[in-house]
mmCIF file of all heavy atoms in Angstrom:
data_model
loop_
_atom_site.group_PDB
_atom_site.id
_atom_site.type_symbol
_atom_site.label_atom_id
_atom_site.label_comp_id
_atom_site.label_asym_id
_atom_site.label_seq_id
_atom_site.Cartn_x
_atom_site.Cartn_y
_atom_site.Cartn_z
ATOM 1 N N VAL A 542 -20.186 -7.984 21.007
ATOM 2 C CA VAL A 542 -19.670 -7.927 19.643
ATOM 3 C C VAL A 542 -19.573 -6.466 19.220
ATOM 4 O O VAL A 542 -20.543 -5.711 19.346
ATOM 5 C CB VAL A 542 -20.569 -8.697 18.653
ATOM 6 C CG1 VAL A 542 -20.039 -8.562 17.229
ATOM 7 C CG2 VAL A 542 -20.650 -10.164 19.044
ATOM 8 N N VAL A 543 -18.388 -6.086 18.721
ATOM 9 C CA VAL A 543 -18.139 -4.713 18.282
ATOM 10 C C VAL A 543 -17.852 -4.722 16.787
ATOM 11 O O VAL A 543 -16.972 -5.457 16.329
ATOM 12 C CB VAL A 543 -16.939 -4.100 19.033
ATOM 13 C CG1 VAL A 543 -16.689 -2.669 18.547
ATOM 14 C CG2 VAL A 543 -17.168 -4.130 20.538
ATOM 15 N N ALA A 544 -18.596 -3.941 16.022
ATOM 16 C CA ALA A 544 -18.327 -3.787 14.585
ATOM 17 C C ALA A 544 -17.499 -2.526 14.384
ATOM 18 O O ALA A 544 -17.795 -1.481 14.965
ATOM 19 C CB ALA A 544 -19.626 -3.702 13.797
ATOM 20 N N LEU A 545 -16.453 -2.629 13.559
ATOM 21 C CA LEU A 545 -15.576 -1.492 13.273
ATOM 22 C C LEU A 545 -15.784 -1.101 11.819
ATOM 23 O O LEU A 545 -15.469 -1.877 10.907
ATOM 24 C CB LEU A 545 -14.121 -1.885 13.528
ATOM 25 C CG LEU A 545 -13.104 -0.756 13.713
ATOM 26 C CD1 LEU A 545 -13.451 0.084 14.924
ATOM 27 C CD2 LEU A 545 -11.707 -1.329 13.850
ATOM 28 N N ALA A 546 -16.345 0.086 11.580
ATOM 29 C CA ALA A 546 -16.697 0.516 10.226
ATOM 30 C C ALA A 546 -16.066 1.867 9.921
ATOM 31 O O ALA A 546 -15.646 2.598 10.818
ATOM 32 C CB ALA A 546 -18.217 0.594 10.074
ATOM 33 N N GLY A 547 -16.013 2.193 8.642
ATOM 34 C CA GLY A 547 -15.480 3.491 8.246
ATOM 35 C C GLY A 547 -15.064 3.520 6.792
ATOM 36 O O GLY A 547 -15.041 2.489 6.110
ATOM 37 N N ASN A 548 -14.754 4.727 6.308
ATOM 38 C CA ASN A 548 -14.234 4.886 4.949
ATOM 39 C C ASN A 548 -12.866 4.221 4.828
ATOM 40 O O ASN A 548 -12.175 4.018 5.839
ATOM 41 C CB ASN A 548 -14.095 6.357 4.603
ATOM 42 C CG ASN A 548 -15.435 7.052 4.387
ATOM 43 O OD1 ASN A 548 -15.517 8.265 4.403
ATOM 44 N ND2 ASN A 548 -16.508 6.300 4.197
ATOM 45 N N PRO A 549 -12.432 3.906 3.608
ATOM 46 C CA PRO A 549 -11.060 3.427 3.431
ATOM 47 C C PRO A 549 -10.052 4.478 3.890
ATOM 48 O O PRO A 549 -10.291 5.682 3.775
ATOM 49 C CB PRO A 549 -10.959 3.195 1.913
ATOM 50 C CG PRO A 549 -12.368 3.017 1.446
ATOM 51 C CD PRO A 549 -13.189 3.904 2.340
ATOM 52 N N ASN A 550 -8.961 4.006 4.441
ATOM 53 C CA ASN A 550 -7.818 4.867 4.772
ATOM 54 C C ASN A 550 -8.110 5.872 5.880
ATOM 55 O O ASN A 550 -7.589 6.981 5.879
ATOM 56 C CB ASN A 550 -7.338 5.611 3.516
ATOM 57 C CG ASN A 550 -5.880 6.018 3.634
ATOM 58 O OD1 ASN A 550 -5.024 5.184 3.913
ATOM 59 N ND2 ASN A 550 -5.600 7.284 3.453
ATOM 60 N N THR A 551 -8.936 5.470 6.835
ATOM 61 C CA THR A 551 -9.182 6.318 7.999
ATOM 62 C C THR A 551 -8.442 5.815 9.232
ATOM 63 O O THR A 551 -8.545 6.436 10.298
ATOM 64 C CB THR A 551 -10.684 6.389 8.321
ATOM 65 O OG1 THR A 551 -11.176 5.053 8.525
ATOM 66 C CG2 THR A 551 -11.455 7.052 7.191
ATOM 67 N N GLY A 552 -7.728 4.699 9.103
ATOM 68 C CA GLY A 552 -7.004 4.137 10.238
ATOM 69 C C GLY A 552 -7.784 3.085 10.994
ATOM 70 O O GLY A 552 -7.499 2.812 12.159
ATOM 71 N N LYS A 553 -8.779 2.471 10.332
ATOM 72 C CA LYS A 553 -9.574 1.437 10.989
ATOM 73 C C LYS A 553 -8.717 0.286 11.495
ATOM 74 O O LYS A 553 -8.859 -0.177 12.630
ATOM 75 C CB LYS A 553 -10.628 0.879 10.014
ATOM 76 C CG LYS A 553 -11.941 1.557 10.091
ATOM 77 C CD LYS A 553 -13.064 0.870 9.347
ATOM 78 C CE LYS A 553 -12.658 0.201 8.051
ATOM 79 N NZ LYS A 553 -12.177 -1.177 8.244
ATOM 80 N N SER A 554 -7.854 -0.205 10.635
ATOM 81 C CA SER A 554 -7.016 -1.338 11.024
ATOM 82 C C SER A 554 -6.054 -0.965 12.142
ATOM 83 O O SER A 554 -5.705 -1.798 12.984
ATOM 84 C CB SER A 554 -6.232 -1.858 9.807
ATOM 85 O OG SER A 554 -7.109 -2.379 8.834
ATOM 86 N N THR A 555 -5.617 0.294 12.171
ATOM 87 C CA THR A 555 -4.750 0.747 13.257
ATOM 88 C C THR A 555 -5.512 0.773 14.571
ATOM 89 O O THR A 555 -4.986 0.381 15.622
ATOM 90 C CB THR A 555 -4.184 2.139 12.947
ATOM 91 O OG1 THR A 555 -3.576 2.130 11.656
ATOM 92 C CG2 THR A 555 -3.147 2.545 13.969
ATOM 93 N N VAL A 556 -6.765 1.230 14.551
ATOM 94 C CA VAL A 556 -7.610 1.192 15.751
ATOM 95 C C VAL A 556 -7.833 -0.256 16.175
ATOM 96 O O VAL A 556 -7.779 -0.594 17.368
ATOM 97 C CB VAL A 556 -8.952 1.901 15.487
ATOM 98 C CG1 VAL A 556 -9.912 1.720 16.661
ATOM 99 C CG2 VAL A 556 -8.731 3.378 15.211
ATOM 100 N N PHE A 557 -8.089 -1.125 15.203
ATOM 101 C CA PHE A 557 -8.272 -2.558 15.467
ATOM 102 C C PHE A 557 -7.050 -3.126 16.184
ATOM 103 O O PHE A 557 -7.166 -3.830 17.195
ATOM 104 C CB PHE A 557 -8.514 -3.277 14.135
ATOM 105 C CG PHE A 557 -8.635 -4.774 14.240
ATOM 106 C CD1 PHE A 557 -9.857 -5.366 14.494
ATOM 107 C CD2 PHE A 557 -7.537 -5.584 14.062
ATOM 108 C CE1 PHE A 557 -9.972 -6.738 14.577
ATOM 109 C CE2 PHE A 557 -7.638 -6.958 14.145
ATOM 110 C CZ PHE A 557 -8.866 -7.540 14.398
ATOM 111 N N ASN A 558 -5.864 -2.812 15.676
ATOM 112 C CA ASN A 558 -4.633 -3.301 16.297
ATOM 113 C C ASN A 558 -4.453 -2.736 17.699
ATOM 114 O O ASN A 558 -4.016 -3.438 18.615
ATOM 115 C CB ASN A 558 -3.421 -2.920 15.437
ATOM 116 C CG ASN A 558 -3.392 -3.659 14.117
ATOM 117 O OD1 ASN A 558 -4.034 -4.686 13.968
ATOM 118 N ND2 ASN A 558 -2.666 -3.127 13.156
ATOM 119 N N ALA A 559 -4.781 -1.452 17.868
ATOM 120 C CA ALA A 559 -4.612 -0.829 19.178
ATOM 121 C C ALA A 559 -5.540 -1.440 20.220
ATOM 122 O O ALA A 559 -5.173 -1.574 21.388
ATOM 123 C CB ALA A 559 -4.863 0.674 19.068
ATOM 124 N N LEU A 560 -6.742 -1.826 19.804
ATOM 125 C CA LEU A 560 -7.696 -2.417 20.736
ATOM 126 C C LEU A 560 -7.354 -3.863 21.068
ATOM 127 O O LEU A 560 -7.465 -4.293 22.215
ATOM 128 C CB LEU A 560 -9.113 -2.347 20.153
ATOM 129 C CG LEU A 560 -9.757 -0.960 20.080
ATOM 130 C CD1 LEU A 560 -11.065 -1.024 19.320
ATOM 131 C CD2 LEU A 560 -9.989 -0.398 21.476
ATOM 132 N N THR A 561 -6.943 -4.628 20.083
ATOM 133 C CA THR A 561 -6.746 -6.063 20.280
ATOM 134 C C THR A 561 -5.308 -6.445 20.580
ATOM 135 O O THR A 561 -5.054 -7.519 21.113
ATOM 136 C CB THR A 561 -7.188 -6.848 19.032
ATOM 137 O OG1 THR A 561 -6.352 -6.478 17.925
ATOM 138 C CG2 THR A 561 -8.641 -6.560 18.688
ATOM 139 N N GLY A 562 -4.350 -5.588 20.183
ATOM 140 C CA GLY A 562 -2.954 -5.977 20.333
ATOM 141 C C GLY A 562 -2.473 -6.842 19.198
ATOM 142 O O GLY A 562 -1.332 -7.292 19.192
ATOM 143 N N LEU A 563 -3.338 -7.098 18.202
ATOM 144 C CA LEU A 563 -2.926 -7.890 17.047
ATOM 145 C C LEU A 563 -2.103 -7.031 16.107
ATOM 146 O O LEU A 563 -2.012 -5.831 16.260
ATOM 147 C CB LEU A 563 -4.145 -8.443 16.307
ATOM 148 C CG LEU A 563 -5.052 -9.365 17.126
ATOM 149 C CD1 LEU A 563 -6.206 -9.836 16.276
ATOM 150 C CD2 LEU A 563 -4.281 -10.552 17.656
ATOM 151 N N LYS A 564 -1.515 -7.680 15.107
ATOM 152 C CA LYS A 564 -0.668 -6.970 14.152
ATOM 153 C C LYS A 564 -1.219 -7.138 12.742
ATOM 154 O O LYS A 564 -0.536 -7.586 11.839
ATOM 155 C CB LYS A 564 0.773 -7.498 14.233
ATOM 156 C CG LYS A 564 1.484 -7.081 15.513
ATOM 157 C CD LYS A 564 1.616 -5.576 15.617
ATOM 158 C CE LYS A 564 2.300 -5.163 16.894
ATOM 159 N NZ LYS A 564 2.365 -3.706 17.037
ATOM 160 N N GLN A 565 -2.504 -6.808 12.558
ATOM 161 C CA GLN A 565 -3.046 -6.810 11.208
ATOM 162 C C GLN A 565 -2.306 -5.765 10.397
ATOM 163 O O GLN A 565 -2.076 -4.656 10.863
ATOM 164 C CB GLN A 565 -4.544 -6.497 11.236
ATOM 165 C CG GLN A 565 -5.194 -6.534 9.857
ATOM 166 C CD GLN A 565 -6.632 -6.094 9.908
ATOM 167 O OE1 GLN A 565 -7.085 -5.591 10.920
ATOM 168 N NE2 GLN A 565 -7.347 -6.267 8.819
ATOM 169 N N HIS A 566 -1.911 -6.118 9.167
ATOM 170 C CA HIS A 566 -1.113 -5.181 8.369
ATOM 171 C C HIS A 566 -1.938 -3.959 8.002
ATOM 172 O O HIS A 566 -3.073 -4.062 7.559
ATOM 173 C CB HIS A 566 -0.621 -5.864 7.096
ATOM 174 C CG HIS A 566 0.170 -4.940 6.221
ATOM 175 N ND1 HIS A 566 1.313 -4.318 6.659
ATOM 176 C CD2 HIS A 566 -0.034 -4.515 4.951
ATOM 177 C CE1 HIS A 566 1.798 -3.563 5.686
ATOM 178 N NE2 HIS A 566 0.991 -3.667 4.648
ATOM 179 N N THR A 567 -1.361 -2.797 8.228
ATOM 180 C CA THR A 567 -2.018 -1.548 7.867
ATOM 181 C C THR A 567 -1.181 -0.824 6.827
ATOM 182 O O THR A 567 0.015 -1.048 6.706
ATOM 183 C CB THR A 567 -2.186 -0.640 9.097
ATOM 184 O OG1 THR A 567 -0.892 -0.353 9.641
ATOM 185 C CG2 THR A 567 -3.034 -1.313 10.161
ATOM 186 N N GLY A 568 -1.809 0.042 6.069
ATOM 187 C CA GLY A 568 -1.074 0.774 5.048
ATOM 188 C C GLY A 568 -1.788 2.056 4.675
ATOM 189 O O GLY A 568 -2.998 2.172 4.846
ATOM 190 N N ASN A 569 -1.033 3.018 4.156
ATOM 191 C CA ASN A 569 -1.598 4.319 3.819
ATOM 192 C C ASN A 569 -2.110 4.313 2.391
ATOM 193 O O ASN A 569 -1.620 5.030 1.540
ATOM 194 C CB ASN A 569 -0.541 5.410 4.018
ATOM 195 C CG ASN A 569 -1.115 6.805 3.825
ATOM 196 O OD1 ASN A 569 -2.320 6.990 3.878
ATOM 197 N ND2 ASN A 569 -0.251 7.771 3.607
ATOM 198 N N TRP A 570 -3.088 3.448 2.129
ATOM 199 C CA TRP A 570 -3.761 3.474 0.831
ATOM 200 C C TRP A 570 -5.094 2.755 0.943
ATOM 201 O O TRP A 570 -5.260 1.871 1.777
ATOM 202 C CB TRP A 570 -2.904 2.893 -0.272
ATOM 203 C CG TRP A 570 -2.374 1.507 -0.058
ATOM 204 C CD1 TRP A 570 -1.511 1.097 0.906
ATOM 205 C CD2 TRP A 570 -2.648 0.351 -0.851
ATOM 206 N NE1 TRP A 570 -1.224 -0.232 0.762
ATOM 207 C CE2 TRP A 570 -1.905 -0.712 -0.321
ATOM 208 C CE3 TRP A 570 -3.432 0.115 -1.979
ATOM 209 C CZ2 TRP A 570 -1.940 -1.999 -0.852
ATOM 210 C CZ3 TRP A 570 -3.459 -1.156 -2.517
ATOM 211 C CH2 TRP A 570 -2.719 -2.188 -1.950
ATOM 212 N N PRO A 571 -6.093 3.132 0.131
ATOM 213 C CA PRO A 571 -7.428 2.556 0.247
ATOM 214 C C PRO A 571 -7.450 1.095 -0.163
ATOM 215 O O PRO A 571 -6.645 0.631 -0.962
ATOM 216 C CB PRO A 571 -8.264 3.402 -0.738
ATOM 217 C CG PRO A 571 -7.455 4.617 -1.013
ATOM 218 C CD PRO A 571 -6.022 4.205 -0.871
ATOM 219 N N GLY A 572 -8.436 0.367 0.389
ATOM 220 C CA GLY A 572 -8.658 -0.996 -0.049
ATOM 221 C C GLY A 572 -7.834 -2.037 0.661
ATOM 222 O O GLY A 572 -7.714 -3.161 0.185
ATOM 223 N N LYS A 573 -7.238 -1.726 1.816
ATOM 224 C CA LYS A 573 -6.406 -2.702 2.502
ATOM 225 C C LYS A 573 -7.242 -3.830 3.077
ATOM 226 O O LYS A 573 -6.841 -4.975 3.082
ATOM 227 C CB LYS A 573 -5.613 -2.035 3.639
ATOM 228 C CG LYS A 573 -4.577 -1.056 3.167
ATOM 229 C CD LYS A 573 -3.488 -1.719 2.380
ATOM 230 C CE LYS A 573 -2.675 -2.657 3.234
ATOM 231 N NZ LYS A 573 -1.511 -3.196 2.503
ATOM 232 N N THR A 574 -8.430 -3.517 3.630
ATOM 233 C CA THR A 574 -9.255 -4.532 4.257
ATOM 234 C C THR A 574 -10.377 -4.903 3.303
ATOM 235 O O THR A 574 -11.307 -4.141 3.121
ATOM 236 C CB THR A 574 -9.840 -4.001 5.576
ATOM 237 O OG1 THR A 574 -8.778 -3.482 6.374
ATOM 238 C CG2 THR A 574 -10.530 -5.106 6.344
ATOM 239 N N VAL A 575 -10.296 -6.075 2.692
ATOM 240 C CA VAL A 575 -11.317 -6.485 1.739
ATOM 241 C C VAL A 575 -12.167 -7.619 2.292
ATOM 242 O O VAL A 575 -13.040 -8.129 1.612
ATOM 243 C CB VAL A 575 -10.675 -6.925 0.400
ATOM 244 C CG1 VAL A 575 -10.056 -5.747 -0.281
ATOM 245 C CG2 VAL A 575 -9.650 -8.023 0.622
#
């Protein structure tokens, strides 16, 4: 199990997508992943 943590708007979701191949929506503003 891998936990992915970080400040808002650091590209966490982009790293998540790159690792998994999924297409979770990412955006250049804080608060995307709630």
Side-chain angles (χ1 to χ4, degrees):
V542 177
V543 179
L545 199 62
N548 288 163
N550 204 53
T551 57
K553 267 191 324 87
S554 295
T555 308
V556 173
F557 176 88
N558 292 341
L560 289 172
T561 64
L563 300 180
K564 289 298 179 183
Q565 182 185 10
H566 178 59
T567 60
N569 186 18
W570 55 296
K573 293 295 294 186
T574 308
V575 292

